[in-house]
Amino acid sequence: MTDATPLIHATDLTVRPSGAEVPVLAHVDFAIRPAEIVTVVGPNGSGKSTLVRALLGHVPLAAGRVERKPGLRIGYVPQRVHIEQALPMTVRRFLSLPVRVSDERAAAELARTGVPGLESRQISALSGGQFQRVLLARALLNDPQLLVLDEPTQGLDQPGMVGFYKLIEEVRSQTGAAVLMVSHDLLVVMRASDRVICLNGHICCEGTPQAVSAAPAYRAMFGADSQGMLALYEHHHDHDHDHVGTGAGHDHHHHHHH
Ligand SMILES: Nc1ncnc2c1ncn2[C@@H]1O[C@H](COP(=O)(O)OP(=O)(O)OP(=O)(O)O)[C@@H](O)[C@H]1O
């Protein structure tokens, strides 16, 4: 935990899209600090993408406020499904859209993300894992202080996911960028996260991966899957105070000893 000034700080965030009868997100408090890896988990429709879009300033707020550090540089890795993979375009050209970058810089980021030398390949000819790394390389081109990834490993197999999250941790330690991810890949993503936020229209619980996987609200939401995950964490458990925030006030800290 660090006391550094947050890159983004949201207070009492409420979002109600026009046409929606109830808020999609209500009373969410959120902050992310430099070099932190924070993952938002939650079931389909729980407001994960809406939270990210609100933090980025892309959706109007019904209440609350979002403060972003002035001049904050954000690298965004969109959901793969939103990208037209059939577009005839080389990787090199893709990396220079919308902002032109040098060959050296393009090559360096492709190397950093584990896909060196792909410049002349067609985007449409890449594997899912290669494409994901090209998207990450592109997001790194403007030296982001914050990387935002919306379900970055959709469609990757288990080794692909594990490799991708390992890469994210490397990128964080090399660049010092904070990372905000949305994910369904609870098992692997939790291991790569400093802090997990469990969302369901509001924050159900949040804290270290260990603390969240032990939280009743989390277990209620993810059921049996959470059991295996907890076992993975038990031997990492530190006996300091794992904090489980209680966004909605109906969930209690649950300390696990073995
Ligand atoms: N513009 C809108 N108008 C009405 N409802 C909306 C709008 N945008 C989002 N919603 C609703 O808000 C809820 C949350 O959507 P959101 O995409 O944030 O969830 P999510 O947790 O990212 O879901 P998923 O895991 O399926 O991607 C959904 O029920 C969605 O239908």
Side-chain angles (χ1 to χ4, degrees):
M1 237 8 79
T2 161
D3 294 328
T5 310
L7 301 172
I8 300 186
H9 190 182
T11 314
D12 198 31
L13 192 67
T14 297
V15 176
R16 186 189 302 112
S18 58
E21 281 171 25
V22 295
V24 167
L25 281 180
H27 308 300
V28 170
D29 293 322
F30 174 90
I32 183 165
R33 294 182 171 76
E36 240 192 324
I37 300 184
V38 178
T39 302
V40 179
V41 301
N44 288 126
S46 58
K48 302 182 297 295
S49 298
T50 302
L51 173 60
V52 168
R53 300 213 314 269
L55 295 174
L56 298 179
H58 296 168
V59 295
L61 308 181
R65 63 171 199 271
V66 177
E67 293 160 274
R68 282 179 295 276
K69 188 178 164 183
L72 180 64
R73 294 187 307 277
I74 295 174
Y76 185 56
V77 178
Q79 284 194 33
R80 293 175 56 209
V81 287
H82 295 325
I83 303 206
E84 183 48 84
Q85 273 205 68
L87 211 65
M89 188 186 292
T90 63
V91 168
R92 178 67 188 86
R93 204 162 123 61
F94 181 65
L95 292 179
S96 266
L97 289 177
V99 180
R100 213 187 148 77
V101 293
S102 69
D103 288 344
E104 291 71 25
R105 191 65 205 273
E109 292 307 343
L110 288 174
R112 191 211 294 280
T113 57
V115 284
L118 285 190
E119 284 90 337
S120 61
R121 293 277 283 277
Q122 285 292 315
I123 291 286
S124 57
L126 301 177
S127 74
Q130 289 172 329
F131 184 53
Q132 203 56 45
R133 284 161 187 256
V134 168
L135 285 178
L136 179 61
R138 182 167 175 261
L140 288 169
L141 287 169
N142 75 330
D143 294 319
Q145 296 153 298
L146 173 64
L147 267 175
V148 177
L149 303 99
D150 198 344
E151 308 222 13
T153 60
Q154 238 172 26
L156 300 192
D157 60 16
Q158 184 77 7
M161 282 185 212
V162 172
F164 189 79
Y165 290 123
K166 244 167 122 179
L167 173 60
I168 291 293
E169 289 186 275
E170 283 168 26
V171 164
R172 183 266 298 266
S173 55
Q174 285 172 14
T175 67
V179 180
L180 174 61
M181 287 189 278
V182 167
S183 187
H184 279 127
D185 316 318
L186 297 175
L187 181 73
V188 268
V189 85
M190 282 177 79
R191 301 178 71 179
S193 304
D194 300 317
R195 192 150 60 87
V196 175
I197 292 176
C198 184
L199 200 67
N200 196 9
H202 60 272
I203 293 178
C204 298
C205 55
E206 71 174 292
T208 61
Q210 298 94 311
V212 166
S213 60
Y218 174 84
R219 293 184 160 202
M221 200 173 297
F222 291 104
D225 283 355
S226 62
Q227 303 302 319
M229 186 158 1
L230 180 63
L232 260 181
Y233 282 108
E234 279 180 340
H235 68 282
H236 296 308
H237 184 83
D238 73 47
H239 290 262
D240 288 329
H241 297 279
D242 290 341
H243 245 5
V244 178
T246 55
H250 56 50
D251 190 13
H252 293 284
H253 178 85
H254 188 94
H255 219 55
H256 188 93
H257 288 278
H258 52 276

